Amino acid sequence: MDIVALIERIGEAPTAALFGLITGIIFGVAAQRSNFCLRAATVEFARGKLGPKVSVWLLTFSTAVVWVQGAQMLGLFRAADSRVMSVPGSWSGAIIGGLLFGAGMVMARGCSGRLLVLASTGNLRSVVSGLIFAVVAQMSLKGILAPFRDKLAGLWITGAENVSVLDLLRIPDWSGFAFGLAVAVLALYLSVRNGIGPKILIFASGVGFAVAVGWVLTWQLAQVAFEPVAVTSATFSGPSANTLMFFLDRNAVFEFDVGLVPGVVLGALISSVLTREFSWQAFDSVPVMRRSMIGAVLMGFGAMLAGGCAIGNGVTGGSVFAGTAWLALFCMWIGAVVTDFLLDQRAPAAQTA
């Protein structure tokens, strides 16, 4: 792809949005076909199983690491230039935000990325929860909740830049690629043991591939663009808020985020229609709706505090070994496991949710 020619033809901002659209479509199709979901994986793990949901999540995570680290070894991308690594990270934000997000995704029955995919398949519950998530994320980014978020995030920061897990462990860069391969082998073993077919495996790895596509495209664009371009990839906290404001603010401009969210919707919608999995669904009861709305609020604030959602931290940030992303992911697992135990395993009445 001749990026310079594309910029000359449509401009830098539309090019960034187009790259977001491409990344989003790949992600949407792959996530819808593989049923990739961190919430489902954590619940399965919380109940003492290493079943198909955990297998799919591990395969997605590992292939993202392999694709991204492989691209870096080939000179197609440089993790140090990414937005998540070039700005200060917050350890306190990762811990508190990760716990809140983990609890919220269990209550809402899906992380922000999963809600977006489900909404594209006719799930009206996810539409409502997703809109609440986007509004709260925007409130936490620039609105009334922003000062509180800044205060919590400022309790413990990494310094001038984020911290690389590889640098902390003082191990060579190629070990990231090797780690990804090792986890992929484990994921494939669990997948075979759980009887997961090749199609699901391909699409699960496709989610990881989408993350690598986003990193490579935005990095390549940043090398030739006149204006500064954020090197980023798939995440749904900031992009959801930015996309919402794009349609509400006439002065909003095109960017990667604005193309990413519509791309996921388009990809998941086309995939669900072609596979005849599109189906209108709504809330079953008021308690279920109330629980989902509370979960969406927790996810919206938690994601902005943690520096990203389950995709942004757990796959995208994790693939470049950002220290705060790994800590946030760990806390998301803890928050989800504890919430599932308290709300669903200990309270039979909550199981209907």
Side-chain angles (χ1 to χ4, degrees), residues 24 45 77 87 91 115 146-147 174 179 190 196 237 264 270 273 279 308 349:
F45 179 80
F77 162 71
V87 299
W91 298 118
L115 291 180
W174 59 261
F179 171 80
L190 293 175
I196 299 177
S237 48
V264 173
I270 293 175
V273 170
S279 176

Side-chain angles (χ1 to χ4, degrees), residues 98-315:
L99 292 172
L100 290 175
F101 189 95
M105 72 179 181
V106 169
M107 296 180 70
R109 296 187 62 82
C111 71
S112 50
R114 181 61 178 167
L115 291 180
L116 187 60
V117 172
L118 289 176
S120 307
T121 65
N123 191 316
L124 300 179
R125 296 171 300 185
S126 297
V127 172
V128 173
S129 298
L131 286 173
I132 293 174
F133 168 82
V135 170
V136 175
Q138 181 64 26
M139 292 170 61
S140 305
L141 179 64
K142 298 180 179 179
I144 192 172
L145 295 176
F148 183 50
R149 176 186 63 85
D150 290 339
K151 184 175 182 179
L152 292 177
L155 294 175
W156 186 16
I157 61 175
T158 60
E161 297 179 346
N162 209 329
V163 177
S164 168
V165 174
L166 301 180
D167 290 341
L168 278 177
L169 298 177
R170 296 182 179 181
I171 54 180
D173 292 340
W174 59 261
S175 59
F177 182 81
F179 171 80
L181 287 178
V183 178
V185 170
L186 172 62
L188 288 173
Y189 167 74
L190 293 175
S191 298
V192 172
R193 195 180 73 174
N194 288 295
I196 299 177
K199 288 185 179 180
I200 298 298
L201 297 180
I202 292 173
F203 283 112
S205 62
V207 179
F209 177 71
V211 170
V213 168
W215 280 130
V216 171
L217 288 179
T218 54
W219 187 81
Q220 295 287 343
L221 177 61
Q223 306 312 300
V224 297
F226 180 76
E227 297 291 337
V229 174
V231 179
T232 186
S233 188
T235 183
F236 298 104
S237 48
S240 294
N242 292 336
T243 303
L244 177 65
M245 294 308 299
F246 178 81
F247 291 105
L248 296 179
D249 186 356
R250 295 179 61 183
N251 296 319
V253 298
F254 280 112
E255 57 182 330
F256 179 87
D257 291 354
V258 174
L260 177 68
V261 173
V264 173
V265 172
L266 182 60
L269 175 62
I270 293 175
S271 177
S272 64
V273 170
L274 292 178
T275 56
R276 298 183 180 180
E277 295 180 5
F278 184 92
S279 176
W280 295 110
Q281 301 177 52
F283 288 104
D284 299 325
S285 64
V286 172
V288 173
M289 184 175 184
R290 180 172 60 245
R291 167 176 162 155
S292 296
M293 293 173 69
I294 294 174
V297 171
L298 293 176
M299 282 199 298
F301 181 74
M304 298 310 298
L305 177 59
C309 62
I311 306 298
N313 279 315
V315 182

Side-chain angles (χ1 to χ4, degrees), residues 78-103:
R78 203 167 82 96
D81 297 334
S82 64
R83 180 165 58 186
V84 68
M85 294 302 299
S86 59
V87 299
S90 169
W91 298 118
S92 57
I95 295 171
I96 302 171
L99 292 172
L100 290 175
F101 189 95

